[in-house]
């Protein structure tokens, strides 16, 4: 099988998008670290069910707007939120 020039160009675009996603996830993690520090200051719980509900409502709306499968976006964001909680719990334990 031969890879075409067009396919190589498209793969480069995918690689660039993948890098952007990773950079954005890192930025999200850094913000999550700042959020837990604020939560600790005001004695706020790590898990915020109301906030998570709003996040998923927005995700469902985005899935419709951008014609993406809601099921997969929800799975992805559950993983992202779970990771944020782990980061926050780790920082919270260090503060105690």
């Amino acid at each position: 099988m031969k890879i075409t020039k067009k396919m190589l160009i498209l793969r480069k675009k995918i690689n660039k998008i993948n890098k952007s996603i990773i950079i954005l996830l890192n930025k999200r993690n850094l913000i999550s670290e700042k959020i837990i520090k604020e939560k600790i200051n005001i004695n706020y719980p790590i898990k915020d069910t109301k906030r998570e509900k709003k996040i998923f409502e927005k995700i469902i709306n985005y899935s419709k707007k951008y014609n993406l499968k809601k099921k997969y976006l929800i799975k992805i964001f559950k993983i992202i939120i779970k990771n944020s909680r782990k980061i926050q719990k780790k920082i919270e334990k260090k503060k105690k």
Side-chain angles (χ1 to χ4, degrees), residues 1-52:
M1 243 184 292
K2 190 174 181 179
I3 296 178
T4 65
K5 188 174 181 177
K6 183 176 183 175
M7 194 164 148
L8 287 172
I9 290 168
L10 292 170
R11 284 182 173 180
K12 275 189 171 186
K13 288 181 180 187
I14 289 288
N15 288 342
K16 193 172 183 178
I17 291 169
N18 288 344
K19 183 179 177 184
S20 295
I21 291 169
I22 290 168
I23 289 168
L24 288 171
L25 286 170
N26 182 60
K27 286 180 181 181
R28 190 182 194 285
N29 285 348
L30 293 172
I31 293 170
S32 183
E33 289 175 10
K34 290 178 182 182
I35 287 172
I36 187 56
K37 290 173 184 174
E38 189 60 29
K39 285 180 177 180
I40 290 169
N41 284 339
I42 62 171
N43 203 24
Y44 198 85
I46 288 176
K47 186 167 182 173
D48 186 343
T49 310
K50 287 180 185 177
R51 167 74 176 138
E52 289 181 19

Side-chain angles (χ1 to χ4, degrees), residues 48-60 81:
D48 186 343
T49 310
K50 287 180 185 177
R51 167 74 176 138
E52 289 181 19
K53 185 179 177 192
K54 287 179 185 177
I55 289 171
F56 286 108
E57 286 170 0
K58 286 182 179 185
I59 288 166
I60 290 166
I81 289 170

Side-chain angles (χ1 to χ4, degrees), residues 78-89:
K78 280 185 177 184
I79 292 168
I80 291 170
I81 289 170
K82 184 177 179 180
N83 184 63
S84 287
R85 267 197 234 116
K86 281 184 177 183
I87 289 168
Q88 290 186 358
K89 284 179 184 179

